[in-house]
């Protein structure tokens, strides 16, 4: 049996800020228990819901040496089982007593370097010897570094492999080399341009990409894009050098969690046979709840997103008054940069019957919007994978996206003449192109409703469940483990 350990900074249902948590929560439970023993390790944040924490089981504790800037630190290890998967939690209140998993860069760097070393240090003590450690994003980037350097003196770790998954290359975990070396205890000989150093900084993600046995990203197109300077965030040369050891695998979603036929969070359940009638009920209910004009004939566009530059919100700012005409409504759910939060608040104040700005993340409201909206807007500057468009398909909501990364891989542009496609897309990062694409979607919605409904059927018929995608990870694990 192959033993796999997932290491991540977040994972549903314990902690979530983005799609990384969905992946680490859904994927491990999909593997066959007959062939794979997959476990997950996370930081023990104090804000993890009490309903889980109260059943955590203490396993062990020990003192661990870090670098000279940190010294010796306490490490506690707790265990919890959910859906047949064992979860381990690394405890240290100095680092993980918080209300949110991330804070300022220097402190985050220290606490995740601590986490990375603690993950490896705990393994002999808890009696779990994984064949492979699957690391996710920069927060776990030093696990492959420690594994191939400091821990090779212990026979327990010989032959242990690692995979590094890039969920978003933009975030890399960087600070000056002396500080990173002083925190981590790693030799200064490793802080060179061919290893951990980038622009005179120690770079955690770069370390993971250099030392991991294999690299994955969360879509095929993003895998190609990040090997070019525009998307490569300064690491495109390294990624081109490793392209034979890298592949893109589109993320999956939990089809049980996102199922309009059984979802208890939406107003009226529906499936591919009943969406024509019941999506309208969801729309009028959410219109009433949010104070919008109640009219099932309005074209409702949804947007659920982190409110950041990456998500193309400057394009929306450019053309929002053209998007929201007398026949169209826009519902926004999300938090992020204050300039975008205030932008949506302003337009919701200006057009209260057309725009609803919900500057928060409310999972119940999000499910309701997926079920109610006619279209979903994702004009991203870059998008490693994106889960919103996959969930939208499930709920009969048509995505409007920019052709980049995972959006390009998952949304087939509608062709009016061939009668193919399941969404709308535009290529150039341009506000006029976005507005033209939205207006074209309105034309199809109002004037060619039969074709619109066929698009919905094609989208709802797609299968992006993890049961399909997990086989690609299984092939990588088997290849590396042999």
């Amino acid at each position: 049996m192959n033993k796999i350990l997932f290491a991540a900074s977040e994972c549903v249902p314990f902690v979530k800020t983005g799609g990384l948590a969905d992946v680490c929560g859904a994927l491990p439970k999909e593997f066959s228990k007959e062939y794979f023993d997959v476990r997950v390790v996370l930081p023990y944040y104090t804000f993890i819901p009490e309903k889980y924490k109260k059943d955590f089981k203490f396993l062990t504790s020990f003192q661990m040496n870090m670098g000279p800037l940190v010294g010796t630190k306490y490490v506690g290890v707790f265990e919890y089982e959910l859906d047949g998967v064992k979860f381990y939690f690394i405890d240290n209140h100095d680092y993980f007593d918080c209300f949110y998993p991330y804070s300022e860069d220097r402190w985050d760097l220290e606490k995740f370097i601590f986490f990375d070393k603690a993950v490896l240090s705990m393994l002999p003590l808890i009696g779990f010897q994984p064949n492979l450690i699957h690391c996710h994003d920069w927060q776990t980037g030093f696990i492959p570094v420690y594994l191939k350097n400091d821990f090779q003196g212990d026979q327990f770790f010989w032959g242990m492999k690692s995979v590094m998954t890039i969920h978003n290359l933009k975030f890399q975990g960087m600070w000056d080399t002396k500080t990173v070396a002083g925190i981590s205890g790693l030799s200064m000989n490793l802080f060179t341009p061919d290893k951990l150093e980038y622009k005179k900084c120690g770079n955690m993600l770069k370390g993971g990409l250099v030392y991991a046995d294999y690299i994955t990203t969360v879509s095929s197109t993003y895998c190609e894009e990040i090997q070019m300077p525009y998307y490569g965030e300064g690491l495109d040369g390294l990624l081109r050098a490793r392209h034979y050891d890298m592949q893109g695998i589109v993320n999956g979603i939990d089809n049980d969690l996102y199922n309009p036929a059984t979802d208890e969070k939406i107003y009226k359940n529906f499936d591919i046979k009943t969406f024509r009638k019941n999506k309208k009920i969801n729309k009028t209910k959410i219109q009433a709840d949010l104070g919008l004009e109640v009219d099932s004939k309005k074209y409702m566009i949804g947007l659920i997103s982190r409110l950041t530059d990456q998500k193309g919100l400057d394009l929306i700012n450019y053309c929002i008054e053209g998007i929201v005409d007398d026949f169209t409504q826009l519902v926004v759910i999300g938090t992020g940069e204050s300039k975008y939060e205030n932008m949506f608040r302003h337009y919701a104040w200006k057009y209260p019957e057309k725009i609803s700005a919900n500057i928060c993340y409310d999972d119940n409201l999000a499910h309701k919007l997926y079920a109610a909206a006619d279209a979903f807007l994702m004009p991203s500057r870059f998008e490693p994978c994106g889960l919103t468009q996959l969930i939208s398909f499930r709920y009969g909501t048509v995505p409007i996206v920019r052709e980049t990364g995972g959006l390009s891989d998952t949304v087939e542009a509608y062709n009016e003449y061939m009668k193919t496609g399941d969404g709308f897309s535009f290529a150039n990062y341009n506000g006029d192109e976005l507005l033209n694409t939205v207006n074209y979607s309105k034309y199809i919605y109002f004037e060619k409703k039969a074709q619109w409904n066929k698009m919905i059927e094609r989208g709802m018929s797609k299968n992006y469940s993890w049961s399909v995608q997990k086989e690609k990870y299984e092939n990588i694990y088997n290849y590396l483990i042999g």
Side-chain angles (χ1 to χ4, degrees):
M1 178 179 287
N2 289 333
K3 298 176 183 177
I4 312 295
L5 180 67
F6 274 53
S9 60
E10 56 184 89
C11 173
V12 293
F14 308 105
V15 52
K16 175 180 175 177
T17 69
L20 165 63
D22 291 303
V23 173
C24 294
L27 180 55
K29 63 186 180 184
E30 292 292 337
F31 294 100
S32 168
K33 301 292 189 293
E34 185 179 353
Y35 300 106
F36 290 93
D37 179 2
V38 182
R39 307 184 188 185
V40 183
V41 60
L42 303 164
Y44 188 166
Y45 304 110
T46 52
F47 62 80
I48 291 172
E50 187 62 33
K51 65 179 180 180
Y52 302 115
K53 288 197 299 185
K54 66 182 178 64
D55 293 322
F56 283 9
K57 175 186 172 185
F58 175 78
L59 291 184
T60 188
S61 66
F62 55 94
Q63 298 292 318
M64 180 178 74
N65 290 323
M66 297 288 289
L69 288 181
V70 179
T72 301
K73 284 289 187 180
Y74 163 86
V75 181
V77 184
F78 289 77
E79 180 185 80
Y80 181 76
E81 188 164 324
L82 182 67
D83 296 327
V85 177
K86 278 189 178 179
F87 292 85
Y88 298 110
F89 295 87
I90 301 293
D91 179 43
N92 181 295
H93 273 219
D94 289 346
Y95 293 124
F96 305 125
D97 184 2
C98 52
F99 297 101
Y100 191 75
Y102 313 117
S103 55
E104 55 91 13
D105 293 342
R106 162 65 176 76
W107 184 241
D108 278 357
L109 205 82
E110 180 174 328
K111 72 185 183 186
F112 289 117
I113 291 174
F114 163 82
F115 173 73
D116 290 359
K117 190 168 187 179
V119 166
L120 294 171
S121 300
M122 76 168 184
L123 293 175
L125 300 177
I126 65 171
F128 182 61
Q129 187 176 29
N131 304 101
L132 181 147
I133 303 177
H134 191 155
C135 307
H136 294 267
D137 264 355
W138 74 265
Q139 295 90 346
T140 59
F142 271 10
I143 291 177
V145 180
Y146 278 125
L147 182 61
K148 292 288 179 67
N149 291 279
D150 289 21
F151 283 76
Q152 282 305 296
D154 187 337
Q155 189 174 347
F156 180 89
F157 296 95
W158 291 0
M160 201 175 287
K161 305 292 186 180
S162 63
V163 171
M164 192 80 221
T165 292
I166 304 167
H167 294 265
N168 193 331
L169 189 64
K170 185 175 180 66
F171 305 105
Q172 299 179 9
M174 295 170 58
W175 208 257
D176 69 89
T177 53
K178 287 186 178 179
T179 300
V180 177
I183 293 169
S184 65
L186 292 167
S187 168
M188 280 299 295
N189 295 332
L190 297 177
F191 292 87
T192 57
D194 62 327
K195 296 184 176 73
L196 309 186
E197 186 267 335
Y198 175 67
K199 292 186 176 179
K200 299 182 180 179
C201 288
N203 185 317
M204 289 184 69
L205 180 62
K206 182 179 180 182
L209 298 178
V210 168
Y211 281 98
D213 296 289
Y214 204 86
I215 301 167
T216 70
T217 68
V218 289
S219 71
S220 298
T221 297
Y222 190 62
C223 185
E224 298 298 322
E225 288 176 340
I226 59 177
Q227 296 177 55
M228 298 181 287
Y230 182 80
Y231 292 98
E233 303 291 347
L235 299 182
D236 50 291
L238 168 60
L239 293 166
R240 284 194 299 274
R242 295 221 58 189
H243 76 279
Y244 287 118
D245 301 316
M246 181 167 69
Q247 75 172 272
I249 302 172
V250 171
N251 282 339
I253 58 172
D254 188 330
N255 276 356
D256 294 327
L257 180 62
Y258 297 108
N259 183 355
T262 59
D263 191 343
E264 296 179 355
K265 296 177 181 178
I266 68 177
Y267 301 102
K268 182 73 173 178
N269 294 115
F270 60 90
D271 57 22
I272 198 167
K273 295 179 180 178
T274 59
F275 73 84
R276 290 170 176 81
K277 177 182 177 183
N278 290 350
K279 269 188 78 73
K280 292 179 181 178
I281 297 172
N282 284 283
K283 185 193 294 186
T284 56
K285 291 282 190 182
I286 203 171
Q287 286 171 334
D289 282 356
L290 297 179
L292 300 169
E293 181 182 348
V294 178
D295 183 351
S296 67
K297 294 182 180 179
K298 296 286 186 183
Y299 182 54
M300 181 181 285
I301 299 174
L303 188 153
I304 300 175
S305 176
R306 285 182 294 109
L307 305 181
T308 65
D309 286 330
Q310 175 199 335
K311 299 299 183 177
L313 303 184
D314 53 334
L315 302 187
I316 295 176
N317 187 34
Y318 171 80
C319 62
I320 189 169
E321 299 199 61
I323 291 174
V324 185
D325 55 28
D326 290 340
F327 310 99
T328 307
Q329 295 174 334
L330 175 66
V331 180
V332 177
I333 301 173
T335 62
E337 296 174 26
S338 58
K339 64 179 178 180
Y340 293 124
E341 291 183 352
N342 293 331
M343 174 189 88
F344 285 119
R345 286 190 183 107
H346 166 74
Y347 285 112
W349 165 80
K350 189 175 182 180
Y351 303 107
E353 293 192 337
K354 297 179 182 179
I355 298 177
S356 174
N358 304 276
I359 308 304
C360 62
Y361 185 74
D362 183 329
D363 190 57
N364 289 323
L365 183 60
H367 280 247
K368 288 177 171 62
L369 183 55
Y370 284 123
D374 299 297
F376 247 82
L377 196 54
M378 296 185 73
S380 302
R381 185 185 298 270
F382 67 94
E383 193 64 62
C385 178
L387 295 177
T388 304
Q389 79 279 16
L390 306 182
I391 299 168
S392 296
F393 284 137
R394 288 283 287 166
Y395 286 82
T397 303
V398 177
I400 302 172
V401 305
R402 180 170 170 261
E403 295 167 8
T404 184
L407 302 178
S408 184
D409 288 341
T410 56
V411 179
E412 181 184 353
Y414 173 65
N415 186 313
E416 182 179 346
Y417 307 101
M418 300 294 291
K419 295 183 172 55
T420 58
D422 45 42
F424 298 90
S425 65
F426 63 101
N428 296 307
Y429 195 76
N430 180 288
D432 290 314
E433 271 198 47
L434 167 60
L435 181 58
N436 289 339
T437 304
V438 171
N439 285 337
Y440 178 57
S441 75
K442 294 179 188 178
Y443 163 71
I444 301 300
Y445 177 80
F446 287 113
E447 301 296 331
K448 296 183 179 292
K449 202 54 174 286
Q451 290 198 36
W452 180 274
N453 287 334
K454 287 294 183 183
M455 290 176 66
I456 290 176
E457 289 179 356
R458 288 193 286 271
M460 292 184 77
S461 298
K462 284 188 162 185
N463 184 3
Y464 280 107
S465 71
W466 279 115
S467 61
V468 175
Q469 304 302 86
K470 61 147 186 180
E471 294 182 6
K472 297 172 184 176
Y473 284 105
E474 288 178 352
N475 290 338
I476 294 172
Y477 298 160
N478 289 327
Y479 161 71
L480 290 174
I481 296 169

